[in-house]
Amino acid sequence: MPIQVYNDAYRTTMICIDSYDQRILKGRMYNACLENGIEFVGVMDFLQNMEKMLEQHQSPQSFSAKRSFSPNAGERPMLHTEESQRSGRKATFVLRLLFRQNASWQGSVTWCEGRMEESFRSVLELLLLMDSALDTE
């Protein structure tokens, strides 16, 4: 299956996974709305950084308000990298978010090394798809 490139660059994020030791994600994410990449360690860090980026650029817009016990004022670490370094040592995924409904994300994810694309209806389903690709390595 050929890897598709979408016109709406703000909805498309490249996820570069550098390691997946003991099922702990470590990697970087890149999006057209970011000047540089964002580094993450762990699933929560990945999800929080993605959500901050989506909220900042309102693409796609959320259909529900985010709730929390306390406000989070943390800053994301920015990476200064070359275009050629935008692939993960372990795996690379292209994430295309179409909607943010029901306090979750819906869209499609492409596993670049496996040349496969799947749709997902929730963040849990996205994480399980990524895990299935990373677990086959």
Side-chain angles (χ1 to χ4, degrees), residues 2 12 21 38 52-54 66-67 71 77 79 89 95 104 106 111 116-117 120-121 136-137:
T12 303
D21 297 328
I38 299 174
K52 284 179 193 176
M53 180 187 67
L54 296 171
K66 180 182 169 193
R67 297 182 289 173
L79 295 175
R89 287 187 291 268
L95 178 62
S104 195
Q106 297 81 35
W111 175 31
M116 296 166 51
E117 181 176 334
F120 60 91
R121 297 162 291 199
T136 61
E137 297 284 315

Side-chain angles (χ1 to χ4, degrees), residues 17 19-20 22-27 29 40-51 105 123-124 126-128 130-131 134:
I17 306 298
S19 72
Y20 194 55
Q22 298 179 355
R23 287 198 148 88
I24 298 173
L25 288 174
K26 291 183 184 176
M29 65 178 67
F40 60 86
V41 177
V43 171
M44 284 306 297
D45 197 27
F46 165 67
L47 295 176
Q48 287 177 334
N49 283 321
M50 277 291 297
E51 193 63 27
W105 307 335
V123 171
L124 176 60
L126 166 66
L127 294 174
L128 291 172
M130 291 172 65
D131 177 70
L134 292 163

Side-chain angles (χ1 to χ4, degrees), residues 95-115:
L95 178 62
R96 182 168 187 246
L97 294 183
L98 298 175
F99 307 105
R100 290 196 297 158
Q101 298 176 352
N102 305 316
S104 195
W105 307 335
Q106 297 81 35
S108 64
V109 61
T110 301
W111 175 31
C112 296
E113 292 79 5
R115 296 185 181 265

